[in-house]
Amino acid sequence: METNNEIIKKVSQVLAAADYAIALTGAGLSTESGIRDFRGPKGIWKTDPEAEKKAYQSFDKFKRNPKKHWIERLTTPDLLGDLSEYEPNRGHKALAELESLGIVRTVITQNIDNLHYKAGSKNVIEYHGNYSKLRCLNCASQYEESRFNLNEMLKEDLLPPICPKCGQALKQDIVFFNEPIPNAVITKSMSEAGKCDVMLICGTSATVYPFADLPFYAKQQGGAVIIEINAEPTPLTRMGLSDYFIQGSAGESLTKIVQEIKSTMI
Ligand code: APR
């Protein structure tokens, strides 16, 4: 059985030689920043199944009564806490460095915490959106949440925020369960997955679709080499889709990969 360090040496060579490597990330990459994941041993859904059931109702609630949805959203604590208070960890920073070294071209993240951008990554596709933005379901326009004084609107009974472009009610730019992923995000993600020759997957249970389709698409389209880093095996590991599996901390392994690649660079 190879040790993680032996695998790290190998995957570092694979990444350094890649023509077009991309990274896919999930909540497991942000746990070292203090943000809980969903399905890990202490995950939010794992420890509070009621919260998950409630989350599945959000999209219908918004469509039925946007004003009521917004009042509830602004008067109940957020499951993930105040995301503006968290900082990127060594895993985010390692991926940003792999981008600046020209190795990772794009990060496709399921995380809404904005930490890849905060760490310095430039090419980021936020597959499930971004907590700091609002989005219009009608015309797909996106706005910084700070543009709307939501708490003021709550006090003045002026909710929901209205799209300045088309007049429809705005929702948070986070994709709710059963809400379609915006077309532009799907198109861009499939294009990246289809053209990559190496896909680095970090900190995801790989159980939520359509995001979890991307590794299969990369393998089928371009025969991509799949490198998986996760605290526990996932369906990708068990189905043998991952060519390499490093079981452990994404932050630690990504940092070692950057060190290994830089040590071989002249
Ligand atoms: N290093 C590596 N792996 C980790 C770490 C870590 N430091 N911490 C946790 N993990 C692993 C967990 O063991 C788990 O397998 O990361 C994985 C996180 O899986 P999930 O909690 O399911 O998160 P994710 O895959 O991103 O969920 C996808 O589900 O609820 C929706 O919209 C939400 O975007 C989220 C989506």
Side-chain angles (χ1 to χ4, degrees), residues 100 152 190 193:
S100 60
E152 217 32 53
M190 296 284 277

Side-chain angles (χ1 to χ4, degrees), residues 27 30-31 33-39 42-45 51 73 76-86 110-114 128-131 172 174:
S30 296
T31 51
S33 294
I35 302 176
R36 292 175 67 194
D37 65 10
F38 299 95
R39 298 173 187 81
K42 296 194 213 83
I44 300 174
W45 303 152
R73 149 102 172 73
T76 39
D78 200 307
L79 279 172
L80 293 171
D82 177 355
L83 287 173
S84 64
E85 287 171 3
Y86 296 104
Q110 297 171 95
N111 303 337
I112 61 170
D113 55 33
N114 203 44
H128 291 155
N130 184 311
Y131 82 96
Q172 288 167 274
I174 56 176

